[in-house]
Structures are given as C-alpha cells and as structure tokens.
Coordinates of all heavy atoms in Angstrom, one line a residue:
M1363 N 0.9 -1.2 0.0 CA 0.0 0.0 0.0 C 0.9 1.2 0.0 O 1.8 1.4 0.8 CB -0.9 0.0 1.2 CG -2.0 1.0 1.2 SD -3.1 1.0 2.6 CE -3.8 -0.7 2.6
P1364 N 0.7 2.2 -0.9 CA 1.5 3.4 -1.0 C 1.3 4.4 0.0 O 0.2 4.4 0.7 CB 1.2 3.9 -2.4 CG -0.1 3.4 -2.8 CD -0.3 2.1 -2.0
Y1365 N 2.2 5.3 0.2 CA 2.1 6.5 1.1 C 1.9 7.7 0.2 O 2.4 7.8 -0.9 CB 3.4 6.7 1.8 CG 3.7 5.5 2.8 CD1 4.5 4.4 2.4 CD2 3.2 5.6 4.1 CE1 4.7 3.4 3.3 CE2 3.5 4.6 5.0 CZ 4.3 3.5 4.6 OH 4.5 2.4 5.5
F1366 N 1.1 8.7 0.8 CA 0.8 9.9 0.1 C 1.0 11.1 1.1 O 0.5 11.0 2.2 CB -0.6 9.9 -0.4 CG -0.9 8.9 -1.4 CD1 -1.3 7.6 -1.0 CD2 -0.7 9.1 -2.8 CE1 -1.6 6.6 -2.0 CE2 -0.9 8.1 -3.7 CZ -1.4 6.9 -3.3
L1367 N 1.7 12.1 0.7 CA 1.9 13.3 1.5 C 0.9 14.3 1.1 O 0.7 14.6 -0.1 CB 3.3 13.9 1.2 CG 3.7 15.0 2.1 CD1 3.8 14.6 3.6 CD2 5.0 15.7 1.6
V1368 N 0.2 14.8 2.1 CA -0.8 15.8 2.0 C -0.2 17.1 2.6 O 0.1 17.1 3.8 CB -2.2 15.5 2.7 CG1 -3.2 16.6 2.5 CG2 -2.7 14.2 2.1
V1369 N 0.0 18.1 1.8 CA 0.5 19.4 2.3 C -0.6 20.4 2.4 O -1.6 20.4 1.6 CB 1.7 19.9 1.4 CG1 2.8 19.0 1.4 CG2 1.2 20.2 0.0
L1370 N -0.5 21.2 3.4 CA -1.6 22.2 3.6 C -1.0 23.6 3.4 O 0.0 24.1 4.1 CB -2.1 22.2 5.1 CG -2.8 20.8 5.4 CD1 -2.2 20.2 6.6 CD2 -4.2 21.0 5.5
K1371 N -1.5 24.3 2.3 CA -1.0 25.6 1.9 C -2.0 26.6 2.2 O -3.2 26.4 2.0 CB -0.7 25.5 0.4 CG 0.0 26.7 -0.1 CD 0.5 26.5 -1.5 CE 1.4 27.6 -1.9 NZ 2.1 27.4 -3.2
A1372 N -1.6 27.8 2.7 CA -2.5 28.8 3.2 C -3.6 29.1 2.1 O -3.3 29.2 0.9 CB -1.8 30.1 3.5
G1373 N -4.8 29.1 2.5 CA -6.0 29.4 1.7 C -6.5 30.7 1.9 O -6.1 31.5 2.7
P1374 N -7.6 31.1 1.2 CA -8.2 32.4 1.3 C -8.7 32.8 2.6 O -8.9 33.9 3.0 CB -9.3 32.4 0.2 CG -9.5 31.0 -0.2 CD -8.3 30.2 0.2
A1375 N -9.1 31.7 3.5 CA -9.6 32.0 4.8 C -8.6 31.6 5.9 O -9.0 31.2 7.0 CB -10.9 31.2 5.0
S1376 N -7.3 31.8 5.6 CA -6.3 31.4 6.5 C -6.4 32.1 7.9 O -6.0 31.5 8.9 CB -4.9 31.5 5.9 OG -4.7 32.9 5.6
D1377 N -7.0 33.3 7.9 CA -7.1 34.0 9.2 C -8.2 33.3 10.1 O -8.3 33.7 11.3 CB -7.5 35.4 8.9 CG -8.7 35.6 8.1 OD1 -9.0 34.8 7.3 OD2 -9.4 36.7 8.3
E1378 N -8.9 32.4 9.6 CA -10.0 31.7 10.3 C -9.4 30.4 11.0 O -10.2 29.6 11.5 CB -11.2 31.4 9.5 CG -11.9 32.6 9.0 CD -13.0 32.3 8.0 OE1 -13.5 31.2 8.0 OE2 -13.5 33.3 7.3
E1379 N -8.1 30.2 10.9 CA -7.5 28.9 11.4 C -7.9 28.6 12.8 O -8.4 27.5 13.1 CB -6.0 28.9 11.3 CG -5.4 27.7 11.8 CD -3.9 27.7 11.7 OE1 -3.3 28.6 11.2 OE2 -3.3 26.7 12.1
P1380 N -7.8 29.6 13.8 CA -8.2 29.3 15.2 C -9.6 28.7 15.4 O -9.8 27.8 16.2 CB -8.0 30.6 15.9 CG -7.0 31.4 15.0 CD -7.3 31.0 13.6
E1381 N -10.5 29.2 14.6 CA -11.9 28.8 14.9 C -12.2 27.3 14.3 O -13.2 26.7 14.7 CB -12.9 29.7 14.3 CG -13.0 29.9 12.8 CD -13.9 31.0 12.4 OE1 -13.5 32.2 12.5 OE2 -15.0 30.7 11.9
H1382 N -11.3 26.8 13.5 CA -11.4 25.5 12.9 C -10.4 24.5 13.5 O -10.4 23.3 13.1 CB -11.4 25.5 11.4 CG -12.4 26.4 10.8 ND1 -13.8 26.1 10.9 CD2 -12.4 27.6 10.2 CE1 -14.5 27.0 10.3 NE2 -13.6 28.0 9.9
A1383 N -9.5 25.0 14.3 CA -8.4 24.1 14.8 C -8.8 22.9 15.6 O -8.3 21.8 15.3 CB -7.4 25.0 15.7
D1384 N -9.8 23.0 16.5 CA -10.3 21.9 17.2 C -10.9 20.8 16.3 O -10.7 19.6 16.5 CB -11.3 22.3 18.3 CG -10.7 23.0 19.4 OD1 -9.4 23.0 19.6 OD2 -11.4 23.7 20.2
A1385 N -11.6 21.2 15.3 CA -12.2 20.3 14.3 C -11.2 19.6 13.5 O -11.3 18.4 13.2 CB -13.2 21.0 13.4
H1386 N -10.1 20.3 13.2 CA -9.0 19.8 12.4 C -8.3 18.7 13.3 O -8.0 17.6 12.8 CB -8.0 20.8 12.0 CG -6.7 20.3 11.4 ND1 -6.7 19.7 10.2 CD2 -5.5 20.2 12.0 CE1 -5.4 19.3 10.0 NE2 -4.7 19.5 11.0
V1387 N -8.0 19.0 14.5 CA -7.4 18.0 15.4 C -8.3 16.8 15.6 O -7.8 15.6 15.5 CB -7.1 18.6 16.8 CG1 -6.7 17.6 17.8 CG2 -6.0 19.7 16.7
A1388 N -9.6 16.9 15.7 CA -10.5 15.8 15.8 C -10.5 15.0 14.5 O -10.5 13.7 14.5 CB -11.9 16.3 16.1
F1389 N -10.4 15.7 13.3 CA -10.2 15.0 12.0 C -9.0 14.1 12.0 O -9.0 13.0 11.6 CB -10.3 16.0 10.9 CG -9.8 15.5 9.6 CD1 -10.7 14.7 8.9 CD2 -8.6 15.8 9.1 CE1 -10.3 14.2 7.6 CE2 -8.2 15.3 7.8 CZ -9.0 14.5 7.1
I1390 N -7.8 14.7 12.4 CA -6.6 14.0 12.4 C -6.7 12.8 13.4 O -6.2 11.7 13.1 CB -5.4 14.9 12.7 CG1 -5.2 16.0 11.6 CG2 -4.1 14.1 12.9 CD1 -4.9 15.4 10.2
D1391 N -7.2 13.0 14.5 CA -7.4 11.9 15.5 C -8.2 10.8 14.9 O -8.0 9.6 15.1 CB -8.1 12.4 16.8 CG -7.1 13.3 17.7 OD1 -5.9 13.2 17.4 OD2 -7.7 14.0 18.6
S1392 N -9.2 11.1 14.1 CA -10.1 10.1 13.5 C -9.2 9.3 12.5 O -9.4 8.1 12.3 CB -11.3 10.7 12.8 OG -11.0 11.3 11.6
L1393 N -8.3 10.0 11.8 CA -7.4 9.3 10.8 C -6.5 8.3 11.6 O -6.2 7.2 11.1 CB -6.6 10.3 10.0 CG -7.4 11.2 9.1 CD1 -6.5 12.1 8.3 CD2 -8.3 10.4 8.1
I1394 N -6.0 8.8 12.8 CA -5.2 7.9 13.6 C -5.9 6.7 14.0 O -5.4 5.6 13.9 CB -4.6 8.7 14.8 CG1 -3.6 9.8 14.3 CG2 -3.9 7.8 15.8 CD1 -3.2 10.8 15.4
E1395 N -7.2 6.9 14.5 CA -8.0 5.8 14.9 C -8.3 4.8 13.8 O -8.4 3.6 14.0 CB -9.3 6.3 15.5 CG -9.2 7.0 16.8 CD -10.5 7.7 17.2 OE1 -11.6 7.4 16.6 OE2 -10.4 8.5 18.2
R1396 N -8.4 5.3 12.5 CA -8.6 4.5 11.4 C -7.3 3.9 10.8 O -7.3 3.2 9.8 CB -9.3 5.3 10.3 CG -10.7 5.6 10.7 CD -11.3 6.7 9.8 NE -11.2 6.5 8.4 CZ -11.5 7.4 7.5 NH1 -11.8 8.7 7.8 NH2 -11.4 7.2 6.2
R1397 N -6.2 4.2 11.5 CA -4.9 3.7 11.1 C -4.5 4.1 9.7 O -3.9 3.4 8.9 CB -4.7 2.2 11.3 CG -5.0 1.8 12.8 CD -4.7 0.4 13.1 NE -3.3 0.0 12.8 CZ -2.2 0.2 13.5 NH1 -2.3 0.8 14.7 NH2 -1.1 -0.2 13.1
L1398 N -4.8 5.4 9.3 CA -4.5 5.9 8.0 C -3.3 6.9 8.0 O -2.6 6.9 7.1 CB -5.7 6.6 7.4 CG -6.9 5.7 7.1 CD1 -8.1 6.6 6.6 CD2 -6.5 4.7 6.0
V1399 N -3.2 7.6 9.1 CA -2.1 8.7 9.1 C -0.9 8.0 9.8 O -0.9 7.4 10.8 CB -2.6 9.9 9.9 CG1 -2.7 9.7 11.4 CG2 -1.6 11.1 9.6
F1400 N 0.2 8.2 9.0 CA 1.5 7.7 9.5 C 2.2 8.7 10.4 O 2.8 8.4 11.4 CB 2.4 7.3 8.3 CG 3.7 6.7 8.6 CD1 3.7 5.4 9.1 CD2 4.8 7.4 8.5 CE1 4.9 4.8 9.4 CE2 6.0 6.8 8.8 CZ 6.1 5.5 9.3
L1401 N 2.2 9.9 10.0 CA 2.8 11.0 10.8 C 2.2 12.3 10.2 O 1.7 12.4 9.1 CB 4.3 11.0 10.7 CG 5.0 11.1 9.4 CD1 5.1 12.5 8.9 CD2 6.4 10.5 9.5
G1402 N 2.4 13.4 11.0 CA 1.9 14.7 10.6 C 2.3 15.8 11.5 O 2.7 15.5 12.7
G1403 N 2.2 17.0 11.1 CA 2.4 18.1 12.0 C 2.6 19.4 11.3 O 2.7 19.5 10.0
E1404 N 2.7 20.4 12.1 CA 2.8 21.8 11.6 C 4.3 22.1 11.5 O 5.1 21.7 12.3 CB 2.2 22.8 12.6 CG 2.2 24.2 12.2 CD 1.4 25.1 13.2 OE1 1.1 24.6 14.3 OE2 1.2 26.2 12.9
F1405 N 4.7 22.9 10.5 CA 6.1 23.3 10.3 C 6.4 24.5 11.3 O 5.5 25.3 11.5 CB 6.4 23.7 8.9 CG 6.1 22.7 7.9 CD1 5.9 23.0 6.5 CD2 6.1 21.3 8.2 CE1 5.7 22.0 5.6 CE2 5.9 20.3 7.3 CZ 5.7 20.7 5.9
S1406 N 7.6 24.6 11.7 CA 8.0 25.7 12.6 C 7.9 27.0 11.9 O 7.5 28.1 12.4 CB 9.3 25.5 13.2 OG 10.3 25.4 12.2
E1407 N 8.2 27.0 10.6 CA 8.0 28.2 9.7 C 7.5 27.7 8.4 O 7.9 26.7 7.8 CB 9.4 28.8 9.4 CG 10.0 29.5 10.6 CD 9.3 30.7 11.1 OE1 8.7 31.4 10.3 OE2 9.3 30.9 12.3
P1408 N 6.4 28.4 7.8 CA 5.9 28.0 6.5 C 7.0 28.0 5.4 O 7.8 28.9 5.5 CB 4.8 29.0 6.3 CG 4.4 29.5 7.6 CD 5.7 29.5 8.4
V1409 N 6.8 27.1 4.5 CA 7.7 27.1 3.3 C 6.8 27.3 2.1 O 6.0 26.5 1.8 CB 8.5 25.7 3.2 CG1 9.3 25.7 2.0 CG2 9.3 25.5 4.5
D1410 N 7.1 28.4 1.4 CA 6.2 28.8 0.2 C 4.8 28.6 0.5 O 4.0 28.1 -0.3 CB 6.6 27.9 -1.0 CG 8.0 28.2 -1.5 OD1 8.5 29.3 -1.3 OD2 8.7 27.2 -2.0
G1411 N 4.3 29.1 1.7 CA 2.9 29.1 2.1 C 2.5 27.7 2.6 O 1.3 27.6 3.1
I1412 N 3.3 26.7 2.6 CA 2.9 25.4 3.1 C 3.3 25.4 4.6 O 4.4 25.6 5.0 CB 3.7 24.3 2.4 CG1 3.3 24.3 0.9 CG2 3.4 22.9 3.1 CD1 4.1 23.3 0.1
A1413 N 2.2 25.2 5.4 CA 2.3 25.3 6.9 C 2.4 24.0 7.6 O 2.8 24.0 8.8 CB 1.2 26.2 7.4
A1414 N 1.9 22.9 7.0 CA 1.8 21.7 7.7 C 1.7 20.5 6.6 O 1.4 20.8 5.4 CB 0.6 21.6 8.6
A1415 N 1.8 19.3 7.1 CA 1.7 18.2 6.2 C 1.3 16.9 7.0 O 1.6 16.9 8.2 CB 2.9 17.9 5.4
Y1416 N 0.7 16.0 6.4 CA 0.5 14.7 7.0 C 0.7 13.6 5.9 O 0.5 13.8 4.8 CB -0.8 14.5 7.8 CG -2.1 15.0 7.1 CD1 -2.8 14.1 6.3 CD2 -2.5 16.3 7.3 CE1 -4.0 14.5 5.7 CE2 -3.7 16.7 6.7 CZ -4.5 15.8 5.9 OH -5.7 16.2 5.4
L1417 N 1.2 12.5 6.4 CA 1.5 11.3 5.5 C 0.5 10.2 5.8 O 0.3 9.8 6.9 CB 2.9 10.8 5.8 CG 3.5 9.8 4.9 CD1 3.6 10.3 3.4 CD2 4.8 9.3 5.4
L1418 N -0.2 9.9 4.7 CA -1.3 8.8 4.8 C -0.8 7.6 4.1 O -0.1 7.6 3.1 CB -2.6 9.3 4.2 CG -3.2 10.6 4.8 CD1 -4.5 10.9 4.0 CD2 -3.5 10.4 6.2
R1419 N -1.3 6.5 4.5 CA -1.1 5.2 3.8 C -2.5 4.7 3.4 O -3.3 4.3 4.2 CB -0.5 4.2 4.8 CG -0.1 2.9 4.0 CD 0.9 2.1 4.9 NE 1.4 1.0 4.0 CZ 1.7 -0.2 4.5 NH1 1.7 -0.4 5.8 NH2 2.2 -1.1 3.7
C1420 N -2.7 4.8 2.1 CA -4.0 4.4 1.4 C -3.8 3.7 0.1 O -2.6 3.6 -0.3 CB -4.8 5.7 1.2 SG -5.3 6.6 2.6
D1421 N -4.9 3.2 -0.4 CA -4.8 2.4 -1.7 C -4.5 3.3 -2.9 O -3.9 2.8 -3.9 CB -6.1 1.6 -1.9 CG -6.2 0.5 -0.9 OD1 -5.2 -0.2 -0.6 OD2 -7.3 0.3 -0.4
S1422 N -5.0 4.5 -2.9 CA -4.9 5.3 -4.1 C -4.9 6.8 -3.8 O -5.3 7.2 -2.8 CB -6.1 5.0 -5.1 OG -7.3 5.5 -4.5
I1423 N -4.4 7.6 -4.8 CA -4.4 9.0 -4.6 C -5.8 9.6 -4.6 O -6.1 10.5 -3.9 CB -3.6 9.7 -5.7 CG1 -3.2 11.2 -5.3 CG2 -4.2 9.6 -7.1 CD1 -2.1 11.8 -6.1
G1424 N -6.8 8.9 -5.3 CA -8.2 9.3 -5.2 C -8.7 9.2 -3.8 O -9.5 10.0 -3.4
E1425 N -8.4 8.1 -3.1 CA -8.8 7.9 -1.8 C -8.3 9.0 -0.9 O -9.0 9.5 0.0 CB -8.4 6.5 -1.3 CG -8.8 6.2 0.2 CD -8.3 4.9 0.7 OE1 -7.6 4.1 -0.1 OE2 -8.6 4.6 1.8
V1426 N -7.0 9.3 -1.0 CA -6.3 10.3 -0.2 C -7.0 11.7 -0.5 O -7.2 12.4 0.5 CB -4.8 10.4 -0.5 CG1 -4.2 11.5 0.2 CG2 -4.2 9.1 0.0
E1427 N -7.2 12.0 -1.7 CA -7.8 13.3 -2.0 C -9.2 13.4 -1.4 O -9.6 14.5 -1.0 CB -7.8 13.5 -3.6 CG -6.5 13.8 -4.1 CD -6.4 13.8 -5.6 OE1 -7.3 13.3 -6.3 OE2 -5.4 14.3 -6.2
A1428 N -10.0 12.3 -1.4 CA -11.3 12.3 -0.8 C -11.2 12.5 0.7 O -12.0 13.3 1.3 CB -12.0 11.0 -1.1
I1429 N -10.2 11.9 1.3 CA -10.0 12.1 2.8 C -9.6 13.5 3.1 O -10.1 14.1 4.0 CB -9.0 11.0 3.3 CG1 -9.5 9.6 3.2 CG2 -8.5 11.4 4.7 CD1 -8.5 8.5 3.4
A1430 N -8.6 14.0 2.3 CA -8.1 15.4 2.6 C -9.2 16.4 2.4 O -9.3 17.4 3.1 CB -6.9 15.7 1.6
A1431 N -10.2 16.1 1.5 CA -11.3 17.1 1.2 C -12.2 17.1 2.5 O -13.0 18.1 2.6 CB -12.1 16.6 0.0
E1432 N -12.2 16.1 3.4 CA -13.0 16.1 4.6 C -12.3 16.9 5.7 O -13.0 17.1 6.7 CB -13.2 14.7 5.0 CG -14.0 13.8 4.0 CD -14.0 12.4 4.4 OE1 -13.5 12.0 5.5 OE2 -14.6 11.6 3.7
D1433 N -11.1 17.3 5.5 CA -10.4 18.1 6.6 C -11.1 19.4 6.8 O -11.4 20.1 5.8 CB -8.9 18.3 6.1 CG -8.1 19.0 7.2 OD1 -8.6 19.7 8.1 OD2 -6.9 18.7 7.2
P1434 N -11.5 19.7 8.0 CA -12.2 21.0 8.2 C -11.5 22.2 7.7 O -12.1 23.2 7.2 CB -12.4 21.1 9.7 CG -12.4 19.6 10.1 CD -11.5 18.9 9.2
Y1435 N -10.1 22.2 7.7 CA -9.4 23.3 7.2 C -9.6 23.4 5.7 O -9.7 24.5 5.1 CB -7.9 23.1 7.4 CG -7.4 23.4 8.8 CD1 -6.2 22.9 9.3 CD2 -8.1 24.3 9.7 CE1 -5.7 23.3 10.5 CE2 -7.6 24.6 10.9 CZ -6.4 24.1 11.4 OH -5.9 24.4 12.6
A1436 N -9.7 22.3 5.0 CA -10.0 22.3 3.5 C -11.4 22.7 3.3 O -11.7 23.6 2.4 CB -9.7 20.9 2.9
I1437 N -12.3 22.2 4.0 CA -13.8 22.5 3.8 C -14.0 24.0 4.0 O -14.8 24.6 3.2 CB -14.6 21.8 4.9 CG1 -14.6 20.3 4.5 CG2 -16.1 22.3 4.9 CD1 -15.2 19.4 5.6
H1438 N -13.3 24.7 4.9 CA -13.5 26.1 5.2 C -12.5 27.0 4.5 O -12.4 28.2 4.9 CB -13.6 26.3 6.7 CG -14.7 25.6 7.4 ND1 -16.0 26.0 7.3 CD2 -14.7 24.5 8.1 CE1 -16.8 25.2 7.9 NE2 -16.1 24.2 8.4
D1439 N -11.7 26.5 3.6 CA -10.7 27.2 2.8 C -9.6 27.9 3.7 O -9.0 28.9 3.2 CB -11.4 28.3 1.9 CG -12.2 27.7 0.8 OD1 -11.8 26.6 0.3 OD2 -13.3 28.2 0.5
V1440 N -9.4 27.3 4.9 CA -8.3 27.8 5.7 C -7.0 27.4 5.0 O -6.0 28.2 4.9 CB -8.4 27.2 7.1 CG1 -7.1 27.6 7.9 CG2 -9.6 27.7 7.8
Y1441 N -6.9 26.1 4.5 CA -5.8 25.6 3.8 C -6.3 24.9 2.5 O -7.3 24.3 2.5 CB -5.0 24.6 4.6 CG -4.2 25.2 5.7 CD1 -4.7 25.1 7.0 CD2 -3.1 26.0 5.5 CE1 -4.0 25.7 8.1 CE2 -2.4 26.5 6.5 CZ -2.8 26.4 7.8 OH -2.1 27.0 8.8
A1442 N -5.5 25.0 1.5 CA -5.7 24.2 0.3 C -4.8 22.9 0.5 O -3.7 23.1 1.0 CB -5.3 24.9 -1.0
T1443 N -5.3 21.8 0.1 CA -4.5 20.6 0.2 C -4.0 20.2 -1.2 O -4.6 20.3 -2.2 CB -5.3 19.4 0.8 OG1 -6.4 19.1 -0.1 CG2 -5.8 19.8 2.2
E1444 N -2.8 19.7 -1.1 CA -2.1 19.2 -2.3 C -1.6 17.8 -1.9 O -1.1 17.6 -0.8 CB -1.0 20.1 -2.8 CG -1.5 21.4 -3.3 CD -0.4 22.3 -3.8 OE1 0.7 21.8 -4.2 OE2 -0.6 23.5 -3.8
T1445 N -1.7 16.8 -2.8 CA -1.3 15.5 -2.5 C -0.3 15.0 -3.5 O -0.4 15.2 -4.7 CB -2.6 14.6 -2.5 OG1 -3.5 15.1 -1.6 CG2 -2.2 13.1 -2.1
V1446 N 0.7 14.2 -3.0 CA 1.7 13.6 -3.9 C 2.0 12.2 -3.3 O 2.1 12.1 -2.1 CB 2.9 14.5 -4.0 CG1 3.6 14.7 -2.7 CG2 3.9 13.9 -5.1
E1447 N 2.2 11.2 -4.2 CA 2.6 9.9 -3.7 C 4.1 10.0 -3.3 O 4.9 10.6 -4.0 CB 2.5 8.9 -4.8 CG 2.8 7.5 -4.3 CD 2.4 6.4 -5.2 OE1 1.8 6.6 -6.3 OE2 2.9 5.2 -5.0
W1448 N 4.4 9.4 -2.1 CA 5.7 9.5 -1.6 C 6.3 8.1 -1.6 O 5.8 7.1 -1.0 CB 5.7 10.0 -0.1 CG 7.0 10.2 0.5 CD1 8.3 9.9 0.0 CD2 7.3 10.9 1.7 NE1 9.3 10.3 0.9 CE2 8.7 10.9 1.9 CE3 6.5 11.5 2.7 CZ2 9.3 11.5 3.0 CZ3 7.1 12.1 3.8 CH2 8.4 12.1 4.0
Q1449 N 7.4 7.9 -2.4 CA 8.0 6.6 -2.5 C 8.9 6.4 -1.3 O 10.2 6.6 -1.3 CB 8.9 6.5 -3.8 CG 8.0 6.7 -5.0 CD 7.0 5.6 -5.3 OE1 7.3 4.5 -5.0 NE2 5.9 6.0 -5.7
L1450 N 8.3 6.1 -0.2 CA 9.1 6.0 1.1 C 10.0 4.8 1.0 O 9.6 3.7 0.6 CB 8.0 5.8 2.2 CG 8.5 5.9 3.7 CD1 9.1 7.3 3.9 CD2 7.4 5.6 4.6
V1451 N 11.3 5.0 1.3 CA 12.3 4.0 1.2 C 12.8 3.4 2.5 O 13.4 2.3 2.5 CB 13.5 4.4 0.3 CG1 13.0 4.8 -1.1 CG2 14.2 5.6 1.0
G1452 N 12.5 4.0 3.6 CA 12.9 3.5 4.8 C 12.5 4.3 6.0 O 12.3 5.5 5.9
I1453 N 12.5 3.6 7.2 CA 12.1 4.3 8.4 C 13.0 3.7 9.5 O 13.2 2.4 9.6 CB 10.7 4.0 8.8 CG1 9.7 4.5 7.7 CG2 10.3 4.6 10.2 CD1 8.3 4.0 7.8
D1454 N 13.6 4.5 10.3 CA 14.3 4.0 11.5 C 13.4 4.2 12.7 O 13.3 5.3 13.2 CB 15.6 4.8 11.7 CG 16.5 4.3 12.8 OD1 16.0 3.5 13.6 OD2 17.6 4.8 12.9
P1455 N 12.8 3.1 13.2 CA 11.9 3.2 14.3 C 12.5 3.7 15.6 O 11.9 4.2 16.5 CB 11.4 1.7 14.5 CG 12.2 0.9 13.6 CD 13.0 1.7 12.7
E1456 N 13.9 3.6 15.7 CA 14.6 4.1 16.9 C 14.5 5.6 17.0 O 14.7 6.1 18.1 CB 16.0 3.6 16.9 CG 16.2 2.1 16.9 CD 15.6 1.5 18.2 OE1 15.9 2.1 19.3 OE2 15.0 0.4 18.2
L1457 N 14.3 6.3 15.9 CA 14.2 7.7 15.9 C 12.9 8.3 16.2 O 12.7 9.5 16.4 CB 14.7 8.3 14.5 CG 16.2 8.0 14.2 CD1 16.5 8.5 12.8 CD2 17.1 8.6 15.2
I1458 N 11.9 7.4 16.3 CA 10.5 7.9 16.6 C 10.4 8.2 18.1 O 10.8 7.4 19.0 CB 9.5 6.9 16.2 CG1 9.5 6.7 14.7 CG2 8.1 7.3 16.7 CD1 8.6 5.5 14.2
D1459 N 10.0 9.4 18.4 CA 9.9 9.9 19.8 C 8.8 9.0 20.5 O 7.7 9.0 20.1 CB 9.5 11.3 19.9 CG 9.4 11.9 21.3 OD1 9.4 11.2 22.3 OD2 9.5 13.2 21.4
S1460 N 9.2 8.3 21.5 CA 8.2 7.4 22.2 C 7.1 8.1 22.8 O 6.0 7.5 23.1 CB 9.0 6.5 23.3 OG 9.5 7.4 24.3
N1461 N 7.2 9.4 23.1 CA 6.1 10.2 23.6 C 5.0 10.4 22.6 O 3.9 10.8 23.0 CB 6.6 11.6 24.1 CG 7.5 11.5 25.3 OD1 7.3 10.6 26.2 ND2 8.6 12.3 25.3
L1462 N 5.3 10.2 21.3 CA 4.3 10.4 20.3 C 3.5 9.1 20.0 O 2.5 9.2 19.3 CB 5.0 10.9 19.0 CG 5.7 12.2 19.1 CD1 6.4 12.5 17.8 CD2 4.7 13.3 19.4
V1463 N 4.0 8.0 20.5 CA 3.4 6.7 20.2 C 2.7 6.2 21.4 O 3.2 6.2 22.5 CB 4.4 5.7 19.7 CG1 3.8 4.4 19.4 CG2 5.2 6.3 18.6
D1464 N 1.4 5.8 21.3 CA 0.7 5.2 22.4 C 1.2 3.9 22.8 O 1.5 3.1 22.1 CB -0.8 5.1 22.1 CG -1.5 6.5 22.0 OD1 -0.9 7.4 22.6 OD2 -2.4 6.7 21.2

C-alpha cells in the first residue's frame, strides 16, 4: 500500500484557522483511529505558504484526495490541500519519539 503526502498551503480563509483548529485536530485523531495517518504536524516556519503536512497510507491518490477534502481546514478554505505519492524507502523506528506513540 503506497504512502501519500498531503501538504496544507494557506488558503483564502487562513485567518480563520483558530476557529477550525479543534475540528482539524478531531479529524486527524479520526485518521489515527482508522490507522491511516503515519505522521503529521505543523512546520515551525511555513515554506512557500505550506504550513503543515501529513502522511497517509492508502490504496490510491483518489482515496487520499477524498479524505483530505474532509479536513475542516480544507472545507472552510483555511488551507488548500495538495497530494503527492511518496516513495518511502525506509524508516528508522529508533528515531521515533516514544512520547508520540501510544
């Protein structure tokens, strides 16, 4: 099953981020519960307007785009989502912060 990176780039309603933040967190939590999100987070500084990203493991880019469209940030135009398949070649599990894993 492939991995897909979803990047969040500032949208026309980016100033409304605080009012949708809790719903976005609940959305990400639901992806974790469904075992779809591999990792994700906000960048310390935006890069070319991209403020955050999450990595999903799904069957197809169409499935990922449908999931990303359900993100409250995307629904309310806080962020536009862009998706790309990531040819992940390796992971060192020793580098994963144990505080992030249940």
Side-chain angles (χ1 to χ4, degrees):
M1363 190 177 302
Y1365 293 91
F1366 297 90
L1367 185 66
V1368 178
V1369 297
L1370 296 129
K1371 190 169 189 171
S1376 61
D1377 59 329
E1378 297 176 16
E1379 179 181 359
E1381 68 187 74
H1382 301 291
D1384 289 343
H1386 170 74
V1387 170
F1389 167 74
I1390 295 298
D1391 287 345
S1392 77
L1393 297 181
I1394 292 169
E1395 290 172 13
R1396 292 165 51 195
R1397 302 191 53 87
L1398 294 174
V1399 71
F1400 184 72
L1401 58 84
E1404 185 176 9
F1405 300 159
S1406 59
E1407 293 292 326
V1409 177
D1410 293 330
I1412 298 171
Y1416 47 91
L1417 186 64
L1418 301 180
R1419 189 166 187 210
C1420 295
D1421 290 321
S1422 70
I1423 196 163
E1425 179 182 1
V1426 172
E1427 289 171 342
I1429 290 168
E1432 296 172 5
D1433 186 332
Y1435 280 162
I1437 291 169
H1438 297 285
D1439 293 323
V1440 174
Y1441 290 103
T1443 60
E1444 295 180 23
T1445 304
V1446 62
E1447 186 172 349
W1448 188 348
Q1449 302 293 322
L1450 193 60
V1451 296
I1453 300 165
D1454 183 348
E1456 297 296 319
L1457 293 177
I1458 297 172
D1459 184 342
S1460 63
N1461 293 321
L1462 297 174
V1463 182
D1464 290 333

